Amino acid sequence: MNAHALAVLELPAVLELVASRASSTLGAERVRALAPVNDRNWLRDEHARVEAARALAFGESGWRPEPVPDISSPLARLRLAGSAWTGPQLLDGALLLRSSRVTRQLLEREAEVESPTRLLRPYAERLVVARDAETAMERAIDHDGSVRDEASPALRRLRRELRGAEGDLVRLLERLMARLEP
Protein backbone atom coordinates (compact mmCIF):
# COMPACT_ATOMS: atom_id res chain seq x y z
CA MET A 1 0.00 0.00 0.00
CA ASN A 2 1.15 3.50 -0.63
CA ALA A 3 1.51 6.20 2.02
CA HIS A 4 -1.62 8.06 0.89
CA ALA A 5 -3.81 4.96 1.20
CA LEU A 6 -2.42 4.28 4.70
CA ALA A 7 -3.14 7.88 5.69
CA VAL A 8 -6.71 7.63 4.36
CA LEU A 9 -7.16 4.46 6.41
CA GLU A 10 -5.74 6.37 9.40
CA LEU A 11 -3.16 3.66 10.04
CA PRO A 12 -0.80 6.04 11.89
CA ALA A 13 -3.61 7.04 14.27
CA VAL A 14 -4.58 3.40 14.84
CA LEU A 15 -0.97 2.42 15.52
CA GLU A 16 -0.61 5.32 17.95
CA LEU A 17 -3.77 4.23 19.79
CA VAL A 18 -2.46 0.67 20.10
CA ALA A 19 1.02 1.93 21.07
CA SER A 20 -0.52 3.99 23.87
CA ARG A 21 -1.71 0.73 25.43
CA ALA A 22 1.68 -1.01 25.25
CA SER A 23 3.17 -2.01 28.58
CA SER A 24 6.65 -0.74 27.69
CA THR A 25 8.29 1.96 25.61
CA LEU A 26 10.00 -0.72 23.53
CA GLY A 27 6.64 -2.36 22.79
CA ALA A 28 5.14 0.99 21.84
CA GLU A 29 8.04 1.64 19.46
CA ARG A 30 7.53 -1.73 17.79
CA VAL A 31 3.82 -1.06 17.34
CA ARG A 32 4.50 2.35 15.78
CA ALA A 33 6.93 0.72 13.32
CA LEU A 34 4.35 -1.81 12.06
CA ALA A 35 3.40 -1.87 8.41
CA PRO A 36 0.65 -3.80 6.61
CA VAL A 37 1.46 -7.38 5.66
CA ASN A 38 -0.29 -9.43 3.00
CA ASP A 39 1.23 -12.84 3.80
CA ARG A 40 -1.77 -14.97 4.82
CA ASN A 41 0.36 -17.54 6.69
CA TRP A 42 2.08 -14.83 8.71
CA LEU A 43 -1.27 -13.21 9.48
CA ARG A 44 -2.79 -16.54 10.57
CA ASP A 45 0.19 -17.25 12.83
CA GLU A 46 0.14 -13.74 14.27
CA HIS A 47 -3.60 -13.96 15.03
CA ALA A 48 -2.98 -17.28 16.78
CA ARG A 49 -0.24 -15.69 18.92
CA VAL A 50 -2.53 -12.78 19.80
CA GLU A 51 -5.28 -15.23 20.77
CA ALA A 52 -2.80 -17.16 22.93
CA ALA A 53 -1.73 -13.95 24.68
CA ARG A 54 -5.38 -13.00 25.24
CA ALA A 55 -6.08 -16.44 26.70
CA LEU A 56 -3.13 -15.96 29.02
CA ALA A 57 -4.19 -12.47 30.08
CA PHE A 58 -7.85 -13.33 30.63
CA GLY A 59 -7.35 -16.90 31.85
CA GLU A 60 -7.05 -18.29 35.33
CA SER A 61 -3.43 -17.21 35.72
CA GLY A 62 -4.45 -13.53 35.69
CA TRP A 63 -1.20 -12.75 33.88
CA ARG A 64 -0.20 -9.16 33.34
CA PRO A 65 2.88 -8.18 31.35
CA GLU A 66 5.95 -7.70 33.48
CA PRO A 67 7.80 -4.35 33.27
CA VAL A 68 10.36 -4.17 30.46
CA PRO A 69 12.77 -1.28 30.96
CA ASP A 70 14.60 -0.03 27.89
CA ILE A 71 18.26 -0.86 28.50
CA SER A 72 19.30 -0.95 24.85
CA SER A 73 21.65 2.05 25.20
CA PRO A 74 23.35 0.78 28.38
CA LEU A 75 23.75 -2.66 26.77
CA ALA A 76 25.32 -1.15 23.65
CA ARG A 77 27.69 0.91 25.79
CA LEU A 78 28.91 -2.24 27.57
CA ARG A 79 30.55 -3.30 24.31
CA LEU A 80 33.18 -0.63 24.98
CA ALA A 81 36.10 -1.80 27.09
CA GLY A 82 36.15 -0.26 30.55
CA SER A 83 32.52 0.87 30.50
CA ALA A 84 30.20 0.31 33.43
CA TRP A 85 26.57 0.79 34.33
CA THR A 86 25.28 3.32 36.81
CA GLY A 87 23.26 2.19 39.84
CA PRO A 88 19.89 2.97 38.19
CA GLN A 89 20.97 1.09 35.05
CA LEU A 90 21.90 -1.92 37.18
CA LEU A 91 18.45 -1.76 38.80
CA ASP A 92 16.85 -1.70 35.33
CA GLY A 93 18.97 -4.69 34.35
CA ALA A 94 17.86 -6.57 37.46
CA LEU A 95 14.23 -5.65 36.73
CA LEU A 96 14.56 -6.93 33.16
CA LEU A 97 16.11 -10.19 34.39
CA ARG A 98 13.29 -10.58 36.93
CA SER A 99 10.64 -9.89 34.29
CA SER A 100 12.24 -12.39 31.94
CA ARG A 101 12.42 -15.08 34.64
CA VAL A 102 8.85 -14.57 35.88
CA THR A 103 7.43 -14.54 32.34
CA ARG A 104 9.39 -17.64 31.35
CA GLN A 105 8.19 -19.52 34.43
CA LEU A 106 4.58 -18.61 33.65
CA LEU A 107 4.85 -19.59 29.98
CA GLU A 108 6.52 -22.90 30.86
CA ARG A 109 3.79 -23.64 33.40
CA GLU A 110 1.09 -22.76 30.87
CA ALA A 111 2.75 -24.90 28.17
CA GLU A 112 2.32 -27.98 30.38
CA VAL A 113 -1.45 -27.88 29.99
CA GLU A 114 -3.40 -28.21 26.78
CA SER A 115 -4.41 -24.67 25.96
CA PRO A 116 -3.94 -22.01 23.29
CA THR A 117 -1.09 -20.60 25.36
CA ARG A 118 1.12 -23.57 24.39
CA LEU A 119 1.76 -21.67 21.19
CA LEU A 120 3.86 -19.21 23.22
CA ARG A 121 6.31 -21.90 24.41
CA PRO A 122 9.00 -21.00 21.82
CA TYR A 123 9.04 -17.47 23.22
CA ALA A 124 9.60 -18.81 26.73
CA GLU A 125 12.70 -20.66 25.57
CA ARG A 126 14.24 -17.37 24.37
CA LEU A 127 13.75 -15.62 27.73
CA VAL A 128 16.83 -15.39 29.96
CA VAL A 129 16.92 -16.73 33.50
CA ALA A 130 19.95 -15.52 35.44
CA ARG A 131 18.75 -15.65 39.03
CA ASP A 132 22.25 -15.26 40.54
CA ALA A 133 22.97 -12.07 38.56
CA GLU A 134 19.47 -10.74 39.29
CA THR A 135 19.88 -11.36 43.03
CA ALA A 136 23.40 -9.92 43.12
CA MET A 137 22.28 -6.69 41.45
CA GLU A 138 19.24 -6.33 43.72
CA ARG A 139 21.39 -7.00 46.80
CA ALA A 140 24.13 -4.54 45.78
CA ILE A 141 22.02 -1.59 44.56
CA ASP A 142 19.54 0.33 46.69
CA HIS A 143 16.13 1.41 45.35
CA ASP A 144 17.53 4.92 44.68
CA GLY A 145 20.39 3.55 42.57
CA SER A 146 23.11 3.96 45.19
CA VAL A 147 25.52 1.15 45.98
CA ARG A 148 24.72 -0.54 49.28
CA ASP A 149 27.36 -1.28 51.90
CA GLU A 150 26.45 -4.95 51.48
CA ALA A 151 27.62 -4.91 47.84
CA SER A 152 30.96 -6.33 48.99
CA PRO A 153 32.85 -6.97 52.23
CA ALA A 154 35.60 -4.55 51.14
CA LEU A 155 33.11 -1.76 50.48
CA ARG A 156 31.41 -2.34 53.83
CA ARG A 157 34.81 -2.17 55.61
CA LEU A 158 35.91 0.97 53.72
CA ARG A 159 32.65 2.80 54.39
CA ARG A 160 32.79 1.85 58.09
CA GLU A 161 36.38 3.16 58.27
CA LEU A 162 35.35 6.32 56.43
CA ARG A 163 32.47 6.95 58.85
CA GLY A 164 34.84 6.40 61.77
CA ALA A 165 37.42 8.80 60.31
CA GLU A 166 34.68 11.34 59.65
CA GLY A 167 33.52 11.08 63.27
CA ASP A 168 37.13 11.51 64.50
CA LEU A 169 37.53 14.60 62.31
CA VAL A 170 34.30 16.15 63.62
CA ARG A 171 35.37 15.55 67.24
CA LEU A 172 38.79 17.08 66.54
CA LEU A 173 37.21 20.14 64.92
CA GLU A 174 34.83 20.51 67.86
CA ARG A 175 37.77 20.47 70.33
CA LEU A 176 39.62 23.05 68.24
CA MET A 177 36.54 25.27 68.06
CA ALA A 178 36.08 24.99 71.84
CA ARG A 179 39.65 26.28 72.38
CA LEU A 180 38.97 29.29 70.18
CA GLU A 181 35.98 30.48 72.20
CA PRO A 182 36.87 33.16 74.83
Side-chain angles (χ1 to χ4, degrees):
M1 289 189 142
N2 65 33
H4 175 70
L6 295 178
V8 169
L9 292 173
E10 297 186 21
L11 181 65
V14 170
L15 292 178
E16 189 57 43
L17 178 65
V18 174
S20 72
R21 296 184 176 268
S23 63
S24 71
T25 57
L26 291 173
E29 288 173 18
R30 288 203 55 187
V31 168
R32 288 184 189 101
L34 290 174
V37 175
N38 61 5
D39 178 342
R40 287 183 187 266
N41 292 330
W42 182 89
L43 289 168
R44 183 191 64 241
D45 293 346
E46 194 63 19
H47 279 276
R49 282 190 291 273
V50 168
E51 184 56 36
R54 284 178 49 94
L56 193 61
F58 296 109
E60 291 178 15
S61 70
W63 174 77
R64 293 292 173 257
E66 292 291 321
V68 180
D70 182 1
I71 61 169
S72 52
S73 293
L75 280 174
R77 198 171 51 253
L78 281 182
R79 291 188 177 100
L80 301 173
S83 63
W85 280 1
T86 64
Q89 290 169 337
L90 284 168
L91 282 179
D92 283 347
L95 177 60
L96 185 59
L97 286 174
R98 180 191 177 286
S99 296
S100 179
R101 176 181 51 80
V102 168
T103 302
R104 182 175 179 151
Q105 290 170 343
L106 173 73
L107 291 175
E108 287 174 343
R109 219 176 26 250
E110 288 290 321
E112 293 173 1
V113 296
E114 191 61 42
S115 74
T117 59
R118 291 186 72 150
L119 181 64
L120 301 174
R121 174 68 182 189
Y123 296 98
E125 294 166 359
R126 295 177 7 197
L127 293 172
V128 174
V129 174
R131 184 67 170 158
D132 291 343
E134 175 189 341
T135 302
M137 286 188 278
E138 289 172 343
R139 187 181 64 244
I141 308 298
D142 212 345
H143 66 278
D144 64 357
S146 62
V147 179
R148 293 181 179 168
D149 287 355
E150 296 79 26
S152 76
L155 181 61
R156 181 176 29 255
R157 180 182 50 78
L158 288 170
R159 285 188 174 168
R160 186 175 54 244
E161 289 174 8
L162 183 60
R163 284 190 294 271
E166 187 178 318
D168 291 344
L169 182 58
V170 167
R171 284 187 291 281
L172 176 64
L173 288 172
E174 287 174 346
R175 283 195 309 266
L176 290 173
M177 295 282 292
R179 288 185 197 164
L180 293 175
E181 294 178 0

